[in-house]
Amino acid sequence: MFDDEPNLADLDFERSVANGLSLRPRRIASKWLYDDTGAALFEDIVASSGYYVPRAELEILDTNAREIGQTLGDGGSLVELGSGASTKVRRLLDAIPGLKRYVPVEISEAQLLEAAATIRRDYPALEVIPIAADFTKDFDLPDVIDAGPVLGFFPGSTLCNLLPTNSETFLRRMHKLLGENSFFLVGVDLDKDPDVLLAAYNEPGGAIWDFNLNILERMNRELGTSLDIADFRHEATYNSDLRRIEAAIYPLRDLSVQVAGQAIDLPAGQPIVLEYSHKYTLDAFAALASRAGWQTLNAWTDNKRLFSVHFLTNRSQA
Ligand code: AVI
């Protein structure tokens, strides 16, 4: 998964946690939330009633997939970044019959190959070229896609977990990766009433707690700590200046933990920040994409204006 703290993301788990917990506020890079258990717990968030993102995004894709296909034209390649189980993309595959190729990019090879086999079975006319890669690092796409239009697909608002400057850098990298003849479909969460956001990111005792507190279980398992999840609570707050949700866990009493040979204090009530989730207006995201060299062809929202999908291009004659 993505990270907003490059200095922590490039280290191994133990070093990253030790360094993050010495920052103020204390941090643990969000990429560590998504081990196998975390990824499974995140699916419970996706299925929960309060987290509107998946439903709103599917509504937008269903409504606009045909137009996306018409703009793309026939013989194109769809490159999905972080394709997971390749579920959402089916809405596009179903609605764009002229598509020639699907290139799922996923770090988990087992999940990638299983999903690719299922897509091959269900869409026999489609050429499927799975790529096992961490899309946050440099990787190559197959040359064969240069022959036709390319549609990058980055759903789920994952981009919003990056700091805006890092999002811009990422979009610029994708510009280079997808090539001159490309389009990019990006899911972006909208800034909105903080109460709606807080309801989506807080569910006391619910799936979000399990997901975030799982980091403590992971530390116990992999770093030999003996933290008790009953000593922590989770809370997501909204930072209205920076327009972002800040998800954190809070010790309920003064604790100390030994990581990488260092004794680290975790005082009661002091946050350990796990994840930022930035929220954008349509214009603010279009401006950010433009700074990264993308032109916005369209930016769609769902009916309730909770979420947006931006349809970008780098074609010079858009
Ligand atoms: C993965 N990412 C897009 C989610 C978000 O909405 O920022 C992570 C999440 N954490 C708790 N709920 C959702």
Side-chain angles (χ1 to χ4, degrees), residues 157-163 167 187-189 276-280:
S157 171
T158 306
L159 192 68
C160 299
N161 295 128
L162 286 183
L163 298 176
S167 294
V188 179
D189 200 10
Y276 296 132
S277 192
H278 295 84
K279 309 300 167 189
Y280 292 90

Side-chain angles (χ1 to χ4, degrees), residues 1 34 42 45 51 156-158 161 201 208 211 275 277 279:
M1 193 51 62
Y34 297 87
F42 187 69
I45 295 180
Y51 189 56
S157 171
T158 306
N161 295 128
Y201 286 86
I208 287 187
F211 171 68
E275 193 166 55
S277 192
K279 309 300 167 189

Side-chain angles (χ1 to χ4, degrees), residues 264-276:
I264 299 170
D265 288 335
L266 304 176
Q270 294 287 311
I272 302 168
V273 177
L274 300 179
E275 193 166 55
Y276 296 132

Side-chain angles (χ1 to χ4, degrees), residues 65-256:
R66 203 165 294 275
E67 180 181 333
I68 294 163
Q70 276 159 4
T71 309
L72 184 70
D74 287 345
S77 301
L78 196 167
V79 177
E80 182 175 12
L81 302 159
S83 49
S86 292
T87 312
K88 256 178 215 171
V89 73
R90 286 169 175 262
R91 308 297 177 111
L92 296 175
L93 301 180
D94 289 339
I96 312 180
L99 208 59
K100 188 168 174 50
R101 207 170 285 109
Y102 172 50
V103 183
V105 181
E106 171 57 47
I107 195 168
S108 159
E109 193 165 7
Q111 191 182 29
L112 174 77
L113 297 180
E114 196 185 322
T118 313
I119 295 288
R120 277 195 192 103
R121 190 196 62 209
D122 294 347
Y123 300 85
L126 199 65
E127 188 183 341
V128 181
I129 309 180
I131 298 189
D134 175 355
F135 65 78
T136 66
K137 313 244 157 66
D138 285 339
F139 67 97
D140 290 323
L141 289 173
D143 290 344
V144 68
I145 71 168
D146 295 340
V150 175
L151 174 64
F153 182 43
F154 194 31
S157 171
T158 306
L159 192 68
C160 299
N161 295 128
L162 286 183
L163 298 176
T165 53
N166 295 342
S167 294
E168 194 180 316
T169 307
F170 177 78
L171 286 172
R172 198 169 289 120
R173 260 188 62 224
M174 290 305 110
H175 191 287
K176 208 164 144 219
L177 178 79
L178 296 170
E180 281 315 309
N181 192 19
S182 65
F183 299 87
F184 198 16
L185 210 49
V186 187
V188 179
D189 200 10
L190 288 174
D191 200 12
K192 60 181 79 67
D193 180 348
D195 287 344
V196 176
L197 286 170
L198 290 171
Y201 286 86
N202 281 305
E203 192 197 357
I208 287 187
W209 277 51
D210 294 342
F211 171 68
N212 285 291
L213 292 173
N214 175 55
I215 194 67
L216 303 171
E217 309 270 24
R218 181 170 186 184
M219 286 170 65
N220 289 345
R221 224 174 25 246
E222 296 181 28
L223 307 183
T225 55
S226 41
L227 292 162
D228 184 346
I229 59 170
D231 283 331
F232 292 81
R233 70 183 178 87
H234 167 264
E235 188 180 351
T237 50
Y238 183 64
N239 181 328
S240 54
D241 292 333
L242 298 174
R243 296 182 170 218
R244 69 185 185 195
I245 285 285
E246 299 178 349
I249 52 176
Y250 295 78
L252 297 171
R253 60 187 182 88
D254 289 341
L255 297 168
S256 175

